[in-house]
Amino acid sequence: MNVSLLFPEGAARPESLPAFSRDMLREDLKLNLVLDAVAAGDRDIRDAWDQAVFAPLQDKALIEYRHEVLKDAETNTDAFWTLYELCQEADRRHKGSLTTVNWMSNYDLMATFHGAVADLTAYIQTLRALRKLAEQYGGSFRSRGFLSLFRMLREELSEAYLEDVKRQLAELSSLDAFVVSVRLGSYLQGVDYVLQRREKKLLDLALAGAGTYRLGERDDPARDIGARQARAVNELVNALGRSAVYLAGFFDTLRSELAFYGGCLIFSEGMKSRGMPVCMPTITDAGTDSRAWEQLYDVSLVVLKRAAVTGNDLRSSHKRLYLITGANQGGKTTFLRSLGLAQLMAQCGMPVGAASFAAPLRGAVYAHFKREEDRWMNSGKLDEELVRMRKITDFIRPGDLLLLNESFSSTSEREGSEMLRQVTQALLDSGVEIFSVSHLHTYAAAFRGREEVQFLRAQRLESGKRTFRIQTGEPLETAYGEDLYREVFG
Amino acid sequence: MFYSVLFPTEESAALPRRKKMPDAFSDLQLDFIMKRCLGEYMESGLEDIYYTPVTDPAVLRYRQEILRELEDPAVRESVLAIVERFGSLREVMDGLRDRLETGRQAVRSGGPGVPRAGSSALSFLVPKKTEDWLDMGRVLERLSQFTDTLSEFAGSVRSMTLRSEGLRRFGDYVADYCESDRFREMDAEAKRLRACFDDIRYCLWFRTDTSAVKVLPFEEREDYASRITALFDRFRQGTAQDFRRNLDEAPVSEKLENEILQLLSRRYPREFSDLRVFCDKYLRFDDDAIVRFAREVRFYLCWLEMMRPLREAGLSFCYPVLRDGEGETRAEDCFDLALALRKPGGIVTNGFFLTPPEQILVVTGPNQGGKSTFARAFGQVHYLASLGLTVPGRAAELRLCDGVLTHFERKEGAKDLDGKLREDLVRLKKLLDAATSRTVVVVNEIFASTTAWDALVLSRKMLDVLTAKGAPGVVVTFLDELADYGPQTVSMAAEVSPDEKKTRSFRILRRKPGGRSYAEILAERHGLGYEEIKRRVRA
């Protein structure tokens, strides 16, 4: 019984970004802020988003598949949340049940045996409720994902099946005598115990004529018989234990896949309530190096400020390197973050924070941001930056997206420029798309006049006032440090 | 004829060996190396081989040839089977013989250990005497393993051309043995018996609330586990944890298991009485030379096993060319094996050579510059060569040595400086007295407790004695002046090498390298040049 709300049956799962990259993105894009806000304490939603956002889909059809399911959830919100609540309830009962606590790791095999039987029995009523829900609401859903889920629930969880499960579990819970078949082992000891199911009447008949041996007290009968019993039920306990794990896994999967869409509903509602637009993105093939967006904004900033923020517009074609220069505190980092978040969210089928957003499919996303503590020039900091960059270049592949934010600014302008130029050029020539925020003038100047380069600049009005808008434009000589100085010192 | 895998002749095997660990072991950390190498086989009687350097070129050649041959995975695999099965065969068989012989007597005399008739609820089914069927089963098991393993070994050896004298002779020995009538007969009988017992099946009934066990005739019935698996199969996804315990199938009560077999022996009397006859006849099947081989060949296998991860980490080991008497001493890419075993990454290797009349390396340089490591490596290389083993390095030509003597600074001992100097001198005297013209000497930071002038005078005197002896050696010192003692000494210095990783690691060189800019080093270190990045991203 496979749940296929996130992926159609048989679809290949995308690779997750490497762990170090996930850590960087969490920090640099302030993803944790967004995840916490969307989850609002719901662990499942947080986990589902965390998992999805770091596993960018590499197929437009898969993204459309999710858009379709999300639309279904939006038009049937009541049924959607009822289903979600049912799964959560099953989980709470499962985890909270005293009889099932810790049976999985219990040292005593028989405790595991009885724990698993009790656990499996407890699932029966939830399974029944699921089927009834499918029968009740199934008709109003349209997406392939939901239709296949409801069909499966109706077919696989019939009343006859659930009754059979109940009967067989009851039989096991009263099992107290054991018959095993035995082979002679390497030195004639009995091995390969297989527990047999025997009719009571026939068994009694066989036992009457059988040779018996009774252990004396000195032979430690409890330990010997206990060991034989453990060997007899070992395979059965495994079958029971695994079945319970599979059932828990089924509910986990269902809950987690629903949680992904629940998060999407909450996200859209939250952004709209702050007066910010939300859109379903248009994803183009990996080969098209064109991007277009309107009012693209940093959703993490909305979460942080609890207020509307400035967005940016852009339309570019055939660009691979975006070089962003200009005023300090002019919104460059925020811009980089808005782009990174939008790309990640768009590529896992989520809505994004913009009025419109069109972007090509990208492989993995990597970020190399200046760390706050890097303000002091210090060879150790540079070393740390180089180590991070090295790591990225070990993993990054053609078709990936790299976000650079003031990289190599912890060394001299000349040295930093040269190092960054080499890295940027090498990655560009290797087919990586790069957004690079930098105040290294020598570096930026090296890319002037190149076809595949889009220059962007943080806007500064004639008055010196910054608008936090990012516009197209080549780098200027100064980075408006004076502005900041004036602002702070008056 | 084959006698031992460590010595070419019975006579050379009989020569006395050291039972005590040589003093140099702790300074050179050979104790750690040995422990790491032998692992669980420490105290299995191989230590004295490590403690006893060999000067007989015939023995050294014998061992080097065997070790080299065992590097061949096919050869090693067939030998491993013998070690795994027969490594402790003698001890096991001695125990079984002991138990079976006393058990037989007990059965005959009706003594203790035999349950009396009438003590059971169904006494008419309980035999008069219960025999030790499990131990007889164990004899059958061991013997079957023995014949199978040897036949397999003989078969695989037949298809190989063994080059080492030791393994070739052992192979011939086993081949002859397998051809003997006695071997064929016991092999055939063991196989026949095993096949009989494979056909015997039964069912067992028991309840946990009683201590009774019933033996039932075998019947095929539906098994519970498959039933449950089928019932919940529709929920299966991915893989789940394995709930099966790794349960020991050995019976808790051997007595009960023997009783079950006794009940079975009434149903299958022929099979069980044949087993009894078989055990009587072949109880002493474990051949001396084969058992000895299985124990001794671990010396090589453990060494190979120890080298494997280090070689995978890029370090080299080589078979030293050993020469008796004068000649060049040369080694390339040597390293401290003890250090490498602790952390195989980032090991700095060093080479050295001594062209006569050069005889002693005098090592100077900054503290923590890898001087002691270098000295240890020098000592290890020579000592390991004298055991017939490979040495840590890419290539080595060495003079035969009868051992390595060391003088390393002791942290413990006398507190006052006078006392320390006296201690140094006493130890040095002992060392110099014990050293022969073939003893490699490693001296590390001697006379650190006295004035530089005294230290220089005393060190020169020490060098006088060492050079007179004529054996190779290394002297680590803080006295730069010692470096140009004479034509017998070579100066080597620890130098920072810019190519190395940021961690403090140094090469010991005959000459100094040129410097480069910090930035260049940094960039190269991180592999962030244009070409390198492009190569990596494409890959």
Side-chain angles (χ1 to χ4, degrees):
Chain A
M1 290 179 61
N2 294 319
V3 180
S4 44
L5 293 174
L6 288 180
F7 297 95
E9 194 87 42
R13 299 291 194 265
E15 262 179 68
S16 282
L17 303 181
F20 84 93
S21 157
R22 294 201 298 266
D23 291 344
M24 282 180 194
L25 292 170
R26 271 200 192 93
E27 183 174 339
D28 296 335
L29 301 186
K30 295 199 195 298
L31 247 166
N32 282 345
L33 268 182
V34 179
L35 296 185
D36 285 340
V38 167
D42 186 324
R43 196 72 236 169
D44 294 317
I45 292 182
R46 200 180 191 293
D47 290 347
W49 266 49
D50 192 80
Q51 204 165 31
V53 87
F54 290 125
L57 299 172
Q58 298 303 320
D59 182 349
K60 280 193 305 183
L62 289 180
I63 296 172
E64 279 155 20
Y65 184 86
R66 289 188 187 179
H67 286 179
E68 208 181 277
V69 175
L70 180 57
K71 200 172 164 214
D72 243 352
E74 273 168 345
T75 44
N76 299 282
T77 41
D78 288 348
F80 176 84
W81 289 117
T82 313
L83 184 58
Y84 185 64
E85 178 54 30
L86 191 60
C87 292
Q88 285 207 310
E89 218 178 86
D91 184 52
R92 277 197 296 272
R93 189 166 45 239
H94 173 62
K95 291 200 175 103
S97 160
L98 277 177
T99 53
T100 62
V101 166
N102 288 337
W103 65 260
M104 285 191 184
S105 52
N106 201 303
Y107 178 75
D108 178 4
L109 205 55
M110 287 316 285
T112 309
F113 175 88
H114 290 297
V117 170
D119 209 9
L120 286 166
T121 309
Y123 274 119
I124 296 174
Q125 59 162 314
T126 316
L127 291 172
R128 185 174 287 127
L130 264 188
R131 190 197 66 232
K132 288 190 170 159
L133 196 115
E135 287 163 351
Q136 187 184 346
Y137 290 109
S140 49
F141 283 76
R142 294 283 169 271
S143 66
R144 286 165 289 168
F146 272 116
L147 287 179
S148 88
L149 174 71
F150 290 142
R151 185 175 347 103
M152 180 182 76
L153 294 177
R154 285 194 307 267
E155 285 170 6
E156 301 281 3
L157 303 177
S158 70
E159 201 50 39
Y161 171 72
L162 294 177
E163 278 304 315
D164 189 27
V165 169
K166 199 171 158 186
R167 205 168 39 244
Q168 294 205 34
L169 290 174
E171 182 184 313
L172 281 180
S173 59
S174 60
L175 188 68
D176 60 355
F178 305 87
V179 178
V180 291
S181 65
V182 188
R183 288 177 191 279
L184 292 177
S186 59
Y187 59 96
L188 307 188
Q189 80 282 28
V191 296
D192 293 350
Y193 279 17
V194 177
L195 184 61
Q196 296 188 338
R197 187 162 178 268
R198 294 261 187 141
E199 290 291 329
K200 192 169 179 341
K201 270 185 199 153
L202 289 173
L203 178 62
D204 287 345
L205 211 63
L207 289 174
T212 303
Y213 185 78
R214 199 173 291 276
L215 282 160
E217 270 313 306
R218 283 191 317 186
D219 303 328
D220 199 355
R223 211 159 69 79
D224 184 276
I225 300 290
R228 287 175 201 277
Q229 182 195 24
R231 287 158 62 191
V233 300
N234 206 13
E235 289 291 340
L236 175 59
V237 170
N238 190 38
L240 287 165
R242 286 181 168 223
S243 300
V245 169
Y246 292 142
L247 256 168
F250 167 74
F251 276 102
D252 281 348
T253 311
L254 182 54
R255 212 172 59 243
S256 148
E257 299 206 352
L258 290 169
F260 171 84
Y261 294 104
C264 291
L265 297 181
I266 294 169
F267 169 77
S268 298
E269 210 170 292
M271 287 299 136
K272 283 173 189 159
S273 76
R274 299 279 177 220
M276 299 306 294
V278 170
C279 71
M280 294 315 286
T282 310
I283 297 295
T284 56
D285 287 323
T288 55
D289 290 326
S290 303
R291 291 181 171 272
W293 56 70
E294 294 164 305
Q295 286 194 66
L296 173 66
Y297 61 95
D298 175 3
V299 293
S300 78
L301 196 60
V302 176
V303 169
L304 193 67
K305 288 188 154 180
R306 298 165 188 278
V309 299
T310 314
N312 285 297
D313 301 345
L314 178 87
R315 183 169 293 276
S316 75
S317 62
H318 306 299
K319 302 295 181 195
R320 301 288 299 183
L321 171 63
Y322 295 77
L323 256 170
I324 304 106
T325 59
N328 280 329
Q329 307 218 335
K332 289 177 298 188
T333 302
T334 300
F335 165 73
L336 208 54
R337 214 174 266 141
S338 69
L339 184 270
L341 285 170
Q343 184 76 31
L344 283 174
M345 291 174 74
Q347 237 173 300
C348 69
M350 293 175 182
V352 302
S356 76
F357 185 77
L361 273 182
R362 287 292 169 238
V365 178
Y366 295 90
H368 188 272
F369 276 42
K370 178 185 73 166
R371 294 267 183 263
E372 277 313 305
E373 60 270 34
D374 284 354
R375 273 169 303 184
W376 296 277
M377 283 204 190
N378 167 331
S379 62
K381 300 295 178 212
L382 176 61
D383 209 61
E384 185 273 333
E385 277 199 84
L386 287 162
V387 168
R388 269 195 288 141
M389 188 66 87
R390 165 67 202 237
K391 190 102 188 245
I392 290 172
T393 61
D394 279 341
F395 280 87
I396 205 162
R397 289 291 165 263
D400 287 353
L401 172 65
L402 174 63
L403 310 175
L404 300 173
N405 191 13
E406 303 282 18
S407 297
F408 301 149
S409 52
S410 54
T411 183
S412 70
E413 214 272 343
R414 199 196 63 84
E415 256 189 1
S417 287
E418 180 52 22
M419 283 184 186
L420 190 55
R421 190 193 63 77
Q422 286 212 22
V423 171
T424 305
Q425 189 64 55
L427 291 174
L428 203 56
D429 292 351
S430 306
V432 174
E433 185 186 28
I434 302 170
F435 281 73
S436 179
V437 166
S438 180
H439 71 258
L440 295 170
H441 187 74
T442 317
Y443 163 70
F447 291 96
R448 258 183 222 267
R450 302 268 291 269
E451 268 301 306
E452 74 276 30
V453 181
Q454 172 72 61
F455 280 100
L456 297 171
R457 210 170 59 210
Q459 188 185 40
R460 191 191 70 147
L461 302 179
E462 282 304 316
S463 60
K465 192 173 179 299
R466 295 180 305 277
T467 62
F468 303 111
R469 283 191 183 282
I470 304 295
Q471 298 180 314
T472 57
E474 302 237 327
L476 300 176
E477 285 298 326
T478 64
Y480 298 94
E482 298 163 53
D483 297 345
L484 193 60
Y485 183 89
R486 257 204 314 273
E487 188 182 310
V488 175
F489 291 90
Chain B
M1 198 50 199
F2 172 81
Y3 183 77
S4 163
V5 75
L6 293 172
F7 297 94
T9 59
E10 200 170 342
E11 294 74 56
S12 52
L15 288 175
R17 291 178 214 156
R18 280 197 213 167
K19 296 288 167 209
K20 233 185 99 234
M21 188 183 284
D23 292 339
F25 263 48
S26 75
D27 285 341
L28 298 181
Q29 297 188 8
L30 284 164
D31 49 354
F32 172 77
I33 294 170
M34 180 177 76
K35 210 179 276 175
R36 212 18 129 66
C37 176
L38 286 179
E40 57 177 311
Y41 300 120
M42 275 295 278
E43 286 165 33
S44 66
L46 285 174
E47 290 89 339
D48 55 355
I49 301 297
Y50 280 90
Y51 299 160
T52 315
V54 173
T55 48
D56 181 350
V59 176
L60 291 170
R61 194 169 49 244
Y62 189 74
R63 290 191 189 171
Q64 280 198 3
E65 276 180 3
I66 291 170
L67 184 59
R68 197 191 288 271
E69 186 131 65
L70 285 170
E71 298 223 18
D72 180 340
V75 177
R76 191 168 62 245
E77 203 177 307
S78 24
V79 167
L80 259 176
I82 289 201
V83 173
E84 276 163 14
R85 310 266 169 76
F86 308 157
S88 55
L89 180 62
R90 178 53 53 84
E91 291 76 6
V92 170
M93 283 311 297
D94 282 347
L96 283 174
R97 280 189 280 262
D98 221 39
R99 291 219 297 274
L100 279 171
E101 273 154 17
T102 48
R104 281 289 148 73
Q105 282 160 12
V107 169
R108 266 197 295 276
S109 66
V114 181
R116 238 163 300 147
S119 67
S120 153
L122 291 165
S123 60
F124 66 93
L125 278 176
V126 175
K128 294 288 176 286
K129 53 189 181 182
T130 302
E131 293 190 64
D132 204 342
W133 295 114
L134 289 173
D135 277 347
M136 283 187 257
R138 288 185 175 104
V139 173
L140 175 62
E141 178 187 25
R142 293 288 169 163
L143 190 145
S144 305
Q145 270 181 11
F146 187 73
T147 54
D148 286 353
T149 308
L150 286 183
S151 306
E152 204 179 296
F153 182 76
S156 61
V157 160
R158 209 174 299 133
S159 65
M160 301 175 194
T161 317
L162 293 175
R163 272 179 287 275
S164 68
E165 190 191 347
L167 291 182
R168 196 174 56 236
R169 287 209 314 232
F170 178 69
D172 291 346
Y173 179 87
V174 172
D176 290 348
Y177 184 70
C178 290
E179 292 299 312
S180 69
D181 289 343
R182 181 181 156 83
F183 181 90
R184 287 172 177 217
E185 193 186 287
M186 74 181 178
D187 185 38
E189 181 60 5
K191 287 195 165 58
R192 188 188 70 81
L193 274 177
R194 187 61 241 184
C196 289
F197 288 118
D198 281 343
D199 288 340
I200 297 179
R201 301 191 62 185
Y202 61 97
C203 285
L204 201 63
W205 172 94
F206 55 90
R207 292 178 68 97
T208 41
D209 49 2
T210 70
S211 48
V213 165
K214 285 174 190 273
V215 177
L216 304 173
F218 178 73
E219 280 178 62
E220 195 84 61
R221 290 303 172 97
E222 184 186 19
D223 92 90
Y224 254 125
S226 319
R227 195 176 151 88
I228 292 300
T229 301
L231 184 63
F232 290 102
D233 191 53
R234 66 193 60 191
F235 295 100
R236 188 156 52 88
Q237 46 185 336
T239 50
Q241 79 187 81
D242 196 335
F243 285 90
R244 276 174 300 189
R245 303 297 150 81
N246 193 2
L247 296 174
D248 190 357
E249 291 196 291
V252 172
S253 164
E254 291 232 337
K255 192 173 151 197
L256 173 54
E257 203 68 16
N258 269 324
E259 295 294 349
I260 293 170
L261 289 167
Q262 190 76 27
L263 289 171
L264 278 182
S265 75
R266 314 198 118 201
R267 187 180 274 271
Y268 305 98
R270 269 285 298 283
E271 287 83 349
F272 280 82
S273 83
D274 284 357
L275 175 65
R276 192 188 306 116
V277 172
F278 177 83
C279 285
D280 280 344
K281 196 167 173 189
Y282 300 115
L283 199 55
R284 289 171 201 287
F285 69 86
D286 44 335
D287 181 84
D288 285 341
I290 291 169
V291 167
R292 184 165 47 244
F293 175 86
R295 197 173 54 80
E296 290 181 340
V297 78
R298 281 177 188 152
F299 176 72
Y300 304 105
L301 297 177
C302 289
W303 190 255
L304 290 170
E305 193 52 33
M306 183 207 68
M307 283 195 291
R308 194 175 45 82
L310 299 180
R311 280 175 163 167
E312 279 165 11
L315 293 166
S316 301
F317 285 83
C318 67
Y319 291 84
V321 176
L322 298 173
R323 220 189 352 261
D324 205 358
E326 288 267 317
E328 177 126 323
T329 292
R330 170 187 292 279
E332 291 167 37
D333 282 335
C334 284
F335 56 92
D336 176 356
L337 178 51
L339 187 64
L341 285 170
R342 290 195 168 94
K343 55 167 196 76
I347 289 289
V348 174
T349 62
N350 284 299
F352 56 81
F353 61 90
L354 291 162
T355 311
E358 292 168 353
Q359 180 200 334
I360 292 179
L361 300 171
V362 175
V363 182
T364 55
N367 278 336
Q368 311 220 327
K371 288 175 298 177
S372 299
T373 304
F374 176 81
R376 261 199 304 277
F378 184 90
Q380 287 168 4
V381 163
H382 282 90
Y383 193 87
L384 295 173
S386 80
L387 297 180
L389 293 169
T390 56
V391 302
R394 196 155 46 78
E397 263 177 75
L398 306 168
R399 285 172 58 181
L400 274 181
C401 72
D402 60 4
V404 179
L405 293 174
T406 55
H407 187 294
F408 276 50
E409 197 191 353
R410 292 267 185 279
K411 291 277 174 276
E412 70 280 14
K415 288 278 185 295
D416 59 305
L417 296 184
D418 267 12
K420 260 207 150 82
L421 180 59
R422 167 178 293 280
E423 230 174 54
D424 268 0
L425 286 168
V426 169
R427 276 171 59 211
L428 181 63
K429 168 87 167 52
K430 229 176 94 185
L431 184 151
L432 293 175
D433 284 351
T436 71
S437 63
R438 303 166 107 183
T439 310
V440 169
V441 173
V442 179
V443 177
N444 188 14
E445 300 286 13
I446 198 170
F447 307 134
S449 55
T450 187
T451 63
W453 174 252
D454 274 353
L456 193 58
V457 171
L458 292 170
S459 298
R460 286 217 165 101
K461 286 191 186 305
M462 172 183 76
L463 283 176
D464 290 346
V465 182
L466 285 178
T467 49
K469 299 247 185 201
V474 59
V475 172
V476 173
T477 180
F478 59 95
L479 301 162
D480 289 352
E481 298 91 327
L482 218 54
D484 34 63
Y485 166 86
Q488 301 95 329
T489 57
V490 175
S491 165
M492 294 188 81
E495 284 284 345
V496 187
S497 166
D499 302 337
E500 298 312 326
K501 296 275 184 296
K502 212 171 48 162
T503 50
R504 211 179 164 97
S505 55
F506 301 81
R507 272 184 208 286
I508 310 286
L509 303 164
R510 279 204 176 200
R511 57 192 174 84
K512 295 175 181 184
R516 288 186 309 154
S517 88
Y518 180 74
E520 270 179 299
I521 295 170
L522 205 60
E524 246 177 63
R525 240 185 228 167
H526 291 284
L528 288 172
Y530 178 85
E531 289 301 334
E532 242 199 290
I533 291 178
K534 270 197 79 176
R535 206 186 56 238
R536 274 206 307 279
V537 176
R538 197 178 47 236

